[in-house]
Amino acid sequence: SKLLRDQRDVDRVVKQTSGSLDKLGTALNAVTRAVQLYAAALAVVKAATMADDMRLLGARVQVAAGSIQAGAEAMLALQRISVATQTSVAANASTFARLNQSLIQMGGTQADTLRLTELLAKAIKVSGASGAEASSAMLQFGQALGSGKLAGDELRSLLETAPYLMRQLADGLGVPIGALKSMGEQGKLTADVVMSALSKASDQITADFATFP
């Protein structure tokens, strides 16, 4: 009868649809699994890259510190500083590596370098710089002082990305912030002058950082 034929047609369509859905489900499961495997592979690669980066940083810090023990102590301190200031371990370690030997040659110690690194991290954090800007500012400051003076492109960039740090530097020097550019051009912002000025500003920087969210 027509009713039976219609029922058979309906059953056939249902079976075909079910088969198609099963195939689609299998395909989707395969795609999902492939995506999961790809994500897992990326995570492994990223973890390996990060581990390599940390080993490289550790090696640079060790060289700057002068011994394995001093390097290990410095890395622990830098990790603590990074957590406390919510700043990049890589940027802080690079800053330390660039500054430590310079400070030691001027009669300072590794502890002095770590204190300066922490002070810079606090000041740049208060400046409101983004993560990338903060890392860049730390690296530029380290490069400048590592070369013996703050001037040129590093000074101009820091005036833009870390205005709070530059204002504290100016206050420590007893000059308006607008005078820093000309002082840099005249070669007056030597490493010892800058570090002395920031030491004078350390209490204010620490107090301001304590109120920062």
Side-chain angles (χ1 to χ4, degrees):
S1 67
K2 185 177 183 305
L3 182 60
L4 287 174
R5 285 196 304 273
D6 290 344
Q7 183 62 48
R8 291 193 194 99
D9 291 340
V10 170
D11 290 343
R12 185 173 63 258
V13 170
V14 169
K15 288 179 181 179
Q16 290 174 346
T17 302
S18 297
S20 297
L21 289 174
D22 288 341
K23 291 178 182 177
L24 178 60
T26 299
L28 287 175
N29 286 336
V31 170
T32 300
R33 181 59 179 163
V35 169
Q36 290 173 339
L37 289 172
Y38 180 65
L42 284 180
V44 170
V45 170
K46 184 176 181 180
T49 301
M50 290 177 65
D52 286 341
D53 289 345
M54 287 303 294
R55 280 193 291 271
L56 180 59
L57 278 175
R60 290 183 62 195
V61 168
Q62 180 181 316
V63 169
S67 72
I68 295 174
Q69 181 177 345
E73 291 172 353
M75 276 303 294
L76 286 174
L78 289 165
Q79 290 171 348
R80 177 191 61 77
I81 289 169
S82 300
V83 171
T85 59
Q86 300 176 17
T87 51
S88 164
V89 175
N92 290 329
S94 294
T95 300
F96 172 88
R98 292 179 183 278
L99 294 180
N100 195 49
Q101 288 303 314
S102 296
L103 264 69
I104 289 175
Q105 289 174 8
M106 289 188 290
T109 65
Q110 177 167 300
D112 293 328
T113 309
L114 289 168
R115 278 192 291 272
L116 177 59
T117 301
E118 183 169 12
L119 193 64
L120 290 173
K122 288 178 177 179
I124 290 171
K125 187 69 175 179
V126 175
S127 291
S130 67
E133 288 173 339
S135 295
S136 176
M138 290 289 288
L139 290 173
Q140 288 168 339
F141 199 95
Q143 287 174 345
L145 294 197
S147 69
K149 63 181 180 179
L150 180 58
D153 291 339
E154 285 88 0
L155 176 56
R156 284 191 291 273
S157 180
L158 284 166
L159 285 167
E160 293 178 3
T161 60
Y164 172 83
L165 171 62
M166 294 294 97
R167 189 164 62 250
Q168 292 303 320
L169 173 60
D171 288 347
L173 291 169
V175 300
I177 190 170
L180 293 179
K181 185 177 179 181
S182 61
M183 289 182 71
E185 291 172 348
Q186 296 167 29
K188 293 182 178 180
L189 297 180
T190 56
D192 57 337
V193 168
V194 170
M195 287 184 284
S196 176
L198 287 178
S199 294
K200 293 177 183 177
S202 62
D203 289 344
Q204 185 62 54
I205 292 172
T206 299
D208 289 341
F209 177 79
T211 65
F212 202 74

